[in-house]
Amino acid sequence: SSTTHTSNKTNTLLILTGKGSVRAGIFSRHHLLTTGLEAATALPLVLEAKRRGLAVILFDPNCLGERNGVDVMEASFDHFF
């Protein structure tokens, strides 16, 4: 499949979680359980980006399993950039 890139210059916030067992938008499961959504997830960042009129891309490097994170990120960046 081909990707069509446009010249649309939208300011975009990129959010990436770490490699491991966490899912998109969660920075740490332990931190989530001990401190809550505000400190441990991307939710406050997404809400602030929306308030500022920014687009948001929330990557999930672990979507194909913990061992494929780098491959997923490379494919994602190739698609968007």
Side-chain angles (χ1 to χ4, degrees):
S1 73
S2 65
T3 302
T4 303
H5 295 279
T6 64
S7 62
N8 185 3
K9 301 282 185 182
T10 302
N11 290 324
T12 304
L13 174 65
L14 305 177
I15 302 174
L16 304 118
T17 57
K19 186 176 128 181
S21 60
V22 295
R23 303 309 297 175
I26 300 173
F27 299 120
S28 164
R29 290 187 305 175
H30 176 73
H31 199 45
L32 177 63
L33 294 173
T34 58
T35 62
L37 289 172
E38 289 291 320
T41 70
L43 183 59
L45 300 172
V46 171
L47 294 174
E48 181 63 19
K50 180 180 176 184
R51 187 185 73 75
R52 294 181 183 208
L54 301 173
V56 176
I57 299 175
L58 181 61
F59 293 100
D60 182 4
N62 306 309
C63 68
L64 298 178
E66 294 177 28
R67 296 182 183 187
N68 298 310
V70 172
D71 294 336
V72 169
M73 292 313 302
E74 286 178 359
S76 297
F77 283 125
D78 286 346
H79 176 78
F80 286 105
F81 308 105

